[in-house]
Amino acid sequence: MSALARPRRSALYLPASNARAIEKARELACDVVILDLEDAVAPEQKEEARAQAVAAVKAGGFGPREVVIRANGLDTPWGAEDLAAAAQAGPDAVLVPKVSSAEDLAACAGAAGSLRIWAMIETCQAMLRLDALAGASRAHRTDVWVIGTNDLAKEMRCPLTPERTPLLPALSFAVMAARAHGLSILDGVYNEIADAEGLAAQCAQALAFGFDGKTLIHPSQIEAANRAFTPEPGAVAWARTIVSAFEAPQNAHRGVLKVEGRMVERLHLAEARRLIAVADAIAAHEGGG
C-alpha cells in the first residue's frame, strides 16, 4: 500500500508512561497509535515511558494500526536515546518534534537507523521553509508531516480558537508543500475534549483544506475523525465510474471523457484511484483484514 493511500484518519497520542492506556489502544478504532515520549510525559517519567514504548512495540498486537513513537527533540537530554531505542524497537515510524530545517531532518534520520520519519511541523521557521523542508523530507525517509498547532500558535503568540483564523494561511501552505512533494499530512489536535460540535467542525475544516486525517488527544475523538475522513460512498462510486471509463479499450488514449453527462479529464484518474485505495484499505481495516 502506498503511503498516500494508507488510511490515517485518526492518529491518537497516548502518553507512553501510561501502560493501561497503551493496552487499551490495541482495541481502539484509530488508524494510528502515537506512543508519546515528549509533551505528555513529565521529565521524571521519560526513561520509564521510553522503556514502556519499546516493550509495547515489541509485544505488538496493534492489528492494522500504524504504531509510531514520538521522540523528544535532539536538543533535549532524552532525544538521542529516544531515537536509538525506537530504532531498536522497530515501530512503523518515529515522530520527531520541531523540525525547522533540512539539517534537523538529516540529524534525526541519521540517529534513527533505518526507521521511517514523521516530522512535526510546528515552528515559525518551518512555515517559512515549507518547500525546502518538503523536498528534504523525501531525501530523509520522511513520508508524513504532522502539524503542531499548539506549538505554532504559542510561538506566533496568537489565540488558538476553534476557527483557527490566524493559522489558516500556514495550514493551507503546509498542505500545498506536502502535496507538491508527495507527502501525507495530518492536522493538529483539538484541545477541548468535551466539545464534540467544535471537533466535528474542525475535522470538516481540515478535510476541506486537504489534510489526510487529524491527530487526537482522547479516544472519545476517534469516531468524529474517522467519520470526517472516510470517503463518502457516493464519492467512491463516482471514482470507480471514472476508473472504469478510462480503462475501457476505446478510451485508452483519450485525455477527456464525457461520463454520465460530466466532463472528466485524465488528471482526475489518479485521484480517483487513490480514493478507491483509501476506501478499500479502510474497509479492510474495519473488517479486521
Side-chain angles (χ1 to χ4, degrees):
M1 185 189 307
S2 74
L4 286 176
R6 183 157 193 167
R8 295 183 174 114
R9 302 165 296 171
S10 50
L12 178 66
Y13 289 110
L14 292 171
S17 54
N18 188 333
R20 183 178 178 185
I22 294 173
E23 184 61 32
K24 290 178 65 176
R26 292 180 168 90
E27 303 299 326
L28 295 176
C30 55
D31 292 331
V32 183
V33 173
I34 302 175
L35 303 176
D36 192 9
L37 307 180
E38 195 208 13
D39 288 345
V41 178
E44 63 273 14
Q45 294 181 301
K46 296 287 190 184
E47 293 187 6
E48 177 189 2
R50 182 192 303 133
Q52 291 194 163
V54 167
V57 171
K58 289 184 174 180
F62 291 92
R65 301 161 192 82
E66 283 184 281
V67 181
V68 178
I69 293 177
R70 177 161 74 163
N72 290 279
L74 282 176
D75 60 345
T76 72
W78 312 283
E81 289 188 49
D82 287 349
L83 291 177
Q88 192 268 334
D92 292 294
V94 60
L95 175 59
V96 294
K98 295 182 176 59
V99 172
S100 297
S101 67
E103 291 76 17
D104 291 343
L105 275 175
C108 291
S114 60
L115 275 182
R116 306 305 298 179
I117 305 294
W118 288 20
M120 294 288 304
I121 306 299
E122 54 186 344
T123 69
C124 293
Q125 282 191 341
M127 290 300 167
L128 296 174
R129 300 169 175 168
L130 287 169
D131 186 60
L133 269 173
S137 293
R138 301 302 296 171
H140 293 297
R141 307 191 309 276
T142 303
D143 303 313
V144 180
W145 278 3
V146 178
I147 300 299
T149 42
N150 282 332
D151 280 272
L152 182 59
K154 178 182 177 181
E155 190 172 315
M156 288 175 60
R157 302 178 189 168
C158 70
L160 188 56
T161 62
E163 298 77 19
R164 305 189 290 185
T165 304
L167 298 184
L168 296 184
L171 297 176
S172 181
F173 278 107
V175 173
M176 290 182 200
R179 296 297 179 235
H181 293 271
L183 306 175
S184 294
I185 184 167
L186 305 182
D187 190 23
V189 301
Y190 189 70
N191 296 315
E192 302 300 326
I193 296 172
D195 182 11
E197 183 176 339
L199 172 64
Q202 201 168 94
C203 285
Q205 180 193 56
L207 179 66
F209 267 96
F211 284 97
D212 295 295
K214 192 161 182 66
T215 48
L216 312 171
I217 57 172
H218 194 273
S220 65
Q221 298 177 323
I222 294 171
E223 195 275 334
N226 283 352
R227 181 174 64 249
F229 290 96
T230 296
E232 295 184 357
V236 178
W238 176 242
R240 295 188 192 281
T241 299
I242 292 173
V243 172
S244 295
F246 276 103
E247 288 181 346
Q250 66 271 25
N251 296 328
H253 301 292
R254 297 183 64 183
V256 181
L257 300 177
K258 186 176 181 180
V259 181
E260 296 183 1
R262 297 165 62 178
M263 296 302 294
V264 179
E265 297 181 62
R266 188 165 288 275
L267 63 87
H268 298 117
L269 181 59
E271 175 57 20
R273 286 174 170 156
R274 188 200 67 82
L275 191 71
I276 292 167
V278 170
D280 287 348
I282 290 171
H285 180 140
E286 295 181 344

PDB file of all heavy atoms in Angstrom, residues 46-63:
ATOM      1  N   LYS A  46      10.440  10.154  31.835  1.00  0.00           N
ATOM      2  CA  LYS A  46      10.895   9.959  30.462  1.00  0.00           C
ATOM      3  C   LYS A  46      11.504   8.575  30.229  1.00  0.00           C
ATOM      4  O   LYS A  46      11.189   7.911  29.233  1.00  0.00           O
ATOM      5  CB  LYS A  46      11.919  11.035  30.082  1.00  0.00           C
ATOM      6  CG  LYS A  46      11.381  12.461  30.077  1.00  0.00           C
ATOM      7  CD  LYS A  46      10.480  12.736  28.897  1.00  0.00           C
ATOM      8  CE  LYS A  46      10.170  14.218  28.802  1.00  0.00           C
ATOM      9  NZ  LYS A  46       9.218  14.543  27.715  1.00  0.00           N
ATOM     10  N   GLU A  47      12.368   8.142  31.098  1.00  0.00           N
ATOM     11  CA  GLU A  47      13.038   6.854  30.878  1.00  0.00           C
ATOM     12  C   GLU A  47      12.062   5.696  31.005  1.00  0.00           C
ATOM     13  O   GLU A  47      12.117   4.739  30.222  1.00  0.00           O
ATOM     14  CB  GLU A  47      14.206   6.715  31.843  1.00  0.00           C
ATOM     15  CG  GLU A  47      15.330   7.701  31.570  1.00  0.00           C
ATOM     16  CD  GLU A  47      16.559   7.439  32.420  1.00  0.00           C
ATOM     17  OE1 GLU A  47      16.581   6.414  33.141  1.00  0.00           O
ATOM     18  OE2 GLU A  47      17.492   8.261  32.361  1.00  0.00           O
ATOM     19  N   GLU A  48      11.162   5.775  31.980  1.00  0.00           N
ATOM     20  CA  GLU A  48      10.152   4.730  32.126  1.00  0.00           C
ATOM     21  C   GLU A  48       9.245   4.679  30.902  1.00  0.00           C
ATOM     22  O   GLU A  48       8.911   3.600  30.389  1.00  0.00           O
ATOM     23  CB  GLU A  48       9.312   4.977  33.376  1.00  0.00           C
ATOM     24  CG  GLU A  48       8.174   3.972  33.568  1.00  0.00           C
ATOM     25  CD  GLU A  48       7.228   4.361  34.692  1.00  0.00           C
ATOM     26  OE1 GLU A  48       7.413   5.426  35.300  1.00  0.00           O
ATOM     27  OE2 GLU A  48       6.282   3.578  34.948  1.00  0.00           O
ATOM     28  N   ALA A  49       8.847   5.849  30.410  1.00  0.00           N
ATOM     29  CA  ALA A  49       7.979   5.907  29.235  1.00  0.00           C
ATOM     30  C   ALA A  49       8.678   5.308  28.021  1.00  0.00           C
ATOM     31  O   ALA A  49       8.069   4.566  27.241  1.00  0.00           O
ATOM     32  CB  ALA A  49       7.583   7.354  28.953  1.00  0.00           C
ATOM     33  N   ARG A  50       9.955   5.605  27.845  1.00  0.00           N
ATOM     34  CA  ARG A  50      10.712   5.052  26.727  1.00  0.00           C
ATOM     35  C   ARG A  50      10.726   3.529  26.798  1.00  0.00           C
ATOM     36  O   ARG A  50      10.486   2.835  25.797  1.00  0.00           O
ATOM     37  CB  ARG A  50      12.139   5.590  26.726  1.00  0.00           C
ATOM     38  CG  ARG A  50      12.975   5.093  25.540  1.00  0.00           C
ATOM     39  CD  ARG A  50      14.444   5.428  25.755  1.00  0.00           C
ATOM     40  NE  ARG A  50      14.662   6.846  25.945  1.00  0.00           N
ATOM     41  CZ  ARG A  50      15.423   7.365  26.906  1.00  0.00           C
ATOM     42  NH1 ARG A  50      16.036   6.573  27.788  1.00  0.00           N
ATOM     43  NH2 ARG A  50      15.585   8.672  27.005  1.00  0.00           N
ATOM     44  N   ALA A  51      10.995   2.987  27.976  1.00  0.00           N
ATOM     45  CA  ALA A  51      11.038   1.531  28.144  1.00  0.00           C
ATOM     46  C   ALA A  51       9.679   0.911  27.845  1.00  0.00           C
ATOM     47  O   ALA A  51       9.590  -0.150  27.205  1.00  0.00           O
ATOM     48  CB  ALA A  51      11.496   1.185  29.555  1.00  0.00           C
ATOM     49  N   GLN A  52       8.598   1.558  28.273  1.00  0.00           N
ATOM     50  CA  GLN A  52       7.261   1.020  28.033  1.00  0.00           C
ATOM     51  C   GLN A  52       6.883   1.104  26.557  1.00  0.00           C
ATOM     52  O   GLN A  52       6.202   0.206  26.028  1.00  0.00           O
ATOM     53  CB  GLN A  52       6.237   1.745  28.903  1.00  0.00           C
ATOM     54  CG  GLN A  52       6.388   1.427  30.372  1.00  0.00           C
ATOM     55  CD  GLN A  52       5.200   1.851  31.228  1.00  0.00           C
ATOM     56  OE1 GLN A  52       5.054   1.379  32.359  1.00  0.00           O
ATOM     57  NE2 GLN A  52       4.351   2.725  30.734  1.00  0.00           N
ATOM     58  N   ALA A  53       7.304   2.160  25.882  1.00  0.00           N
ATOM     59  CA  ALA A  53       7.022   2.269  24.446  1.00  0.00           C
ATOM     60  C   ALA A  53       7.734   1.171  23.681  1.00  0.00           C
ATOM     61  O   ALA A  53       7.147   0.528  22.789  1.00  0.00           O
ATOM     62  CB  ALA A  53       7.449   3.643  23.935  1.00  0.00           C
ATOM     63  N   VAL A  54       8.991   0.939  24.000  1.00  0.00           N
ATOM     64  CA  VAL A  54       9.761  -0.115  23.341  1.00  0.00           C
ATOM     65  C   VAL A  54       9.108  -1.476  23.594  1.00  0.00           C
ATOM     66  O   VAL A  54       8.945  -2.288  22.669  1.00  0.00           O
ATOM     67  CB  VAL A  54      11.219  -0.098  23.831  1.00  0.00           C
ATOM     68  CG1 VAL A  54      11.947  -1.370  23.409  1.00  0.00           C
ATOM     69  CG2 VAL A  54      11.944   1.135  23.308  1.00  0.00           C
ATOM     70  N   ALA A  55       8.718  -1.727  24.840  1.00  0.00           N
ATOM     71  CA  ALA A  55       8.093  -3.009  25.174  1.00  0.00           C
ATOM     72  C   ALA A  55       6.780  -3.194  24.424  1.00  0.00           C
ATOM     73  O   ALA A  55       6.466  -4.290  23.946  1.00  0.00           O
ATOM     74  CB  ALA A  55       7.872  -3.090  26.684  1.00  0.00           C
ATOM     75  N   ALA A  56       5.995  -2.104  24.314  1.00  0.00           N
ATOM     76  CA  ALA A  56       4.705  -2.205  23.622  1.00  0.00           C
ATOM     77  C   ALA A  56       4.896  -2.507  22.148  1.00  0.00           C
ATOM     78  O   ALA A  56       4.174  -3.331  21.568  1.00  0.00           O
ATOM     79  CB  ALA A  56       3.936  -0.899  23.800  1.00  0.00           C
ATOM     80  N   VAL A  57       5.859  -1.855  21.510  1.00  0.00           N
ATOM     81  CA  VAL A  57       6.111  -2.109  20.092  1.00  0.00           C
ATOM     82  C   VAL A  57       6.565  -3.547  19.875  1.00  0.00           C
ATOM     83  O   VAL A  57       6.095  -4.230  18.956  1.00  0.00           O
ATOM     84  CB  VAL A  57       7.159  -1.117  19.551  1.00  0.00           C
ATOM     85  CG1 VAL A  57       7.598  -1.516  18.141  1.00  0.00           C
ATOM     86  CG2 VAL A  57       6.605   0.300  19.549  1.00  0.00           C
ATOM     87  N   LYS A  58       7.451  -4.006  20.719  1.00  0.00           N
ATOM     88  CA  LYS A  58       7.942  -5.382  20.579  1.00  0.00           C
ATOM     89  C   LYS A  58       6.846  -6.401  20.838  1.00  0.00           C
ATOM     90  O   LYS A  58       6.800  -7.461  20.198  1.00  0.00           O
ATOM     91  CB  LYS A  58       9.120  -5.606  21.519  1.00  0.00           C
ATOM     92  CG  LYS A  58      10.398  -4.884  21.097  1.00  0.00           C
ATOM     93  CD  LYS A  58      11.553  -5.232  22.017  1.00  0.00           C
ATOM     94  CE  LYS A  58      12.853  -4.632  21.528  1.00  0.00           C
ATOM     95  NZ  LYS A  58      13.998  -4.961  22.413  1.00  0.00           N
ATOM     96  N   ALA A  59       5.937  -6.098  21.759  1.00  0.00           N
ATOM     97  CA  ALA A  59       4.848  -7.032  22.071  1.00  0.00           C
ATOM     98  C   ALA A  59       3.840  -7.101  20.933  1.00  0.00           C
ATOM     99  O   ALA A  59       3.202  -8.136  20.714  1.00  0.00           O
ATOM    100  CB  ALA A  59       4.162  -6.613  23.369  1.00  0.00           C
ATOM    101  N   GLY A  60       3.674  -6.011  20.205  1.00  0.00           N
ATOM    102  CA  GLY A  60       2.751  -5.998  19.081  1.00  0.00           C
ATOM    103  C   GLY A  60       1.299  -6.074  19.527  1.00  0.00           C
ATOM    104  O   GLY A  60       0.935  -5.599  20.600  1.00  0.00           O
ATOM    105  N   GLY A  61       0.467  -6.656  18.687  1.00  0.00           N
ATOM    106  CA  GLY A  61      -0.943  -6.788  18.998  1.00  0.00           C
ATOM    107  C   GLY A  61      -1.788  -5.590  18.608  1.00  0.00           C
ATOM    108  O   GLY A  61      -2.947  -5.491  19.010  1.00  0.00           O
ATOM    109  N   PHE A  62      -1.240  -4.669  17.797  1.00  0.00           N
ATOM    110  CA  PHE A  62      -1.979  -3.482  17.406  1.00  0.00           C
ATOM    111  C   PHE A  62      -2.766  -3.667  16.107  1.00  0.00           C
ATOM    112  O   PHE A  62      -3.382  -2.728  15.624  1.00  0.00           O
ATOM    113  CB  PHE A  62      -1.018  -2.292  17.268  1.00  0.00           C
ATOM    114  CG  PHE A  62      -0.454  -1.818  18.575  1.00  0.00           C
ATOM    115  CD1 PHE A  62       0.748  -2.322  19.064  1.00  0.00           C
ATOM    116  CD2 PHE A  62      -1.132  -0.886  19.346  1.00  0.00           C
ATOM    117  CE1 PHE A  62       1.271  -1.889  20.273  1.00  0.00           C
ATOM    118  CE2 PHE A  62      -0.624  -0.447  20.556  1.00  0.00           C
ATOM    119  CZ  PHE A  62       0.589  -0.949  21.024  1.00  0.00           C
ATOM    120  N   GLY A  63      -2.739  -4.864  15.558  1.00  0.00           N
ATOM    121  CA  GLY A  63      -3.506  -5.142  14.358  1.00  0.00           C
ATOM    122  C   GLY A  63      -3.098  -4.271  13.191  1.00  0.00           C
ATOM    123  O   GLY A  63      -1.909  -4.053  12.963  1.00  0.00           O
TER     124      GLY A  63
END
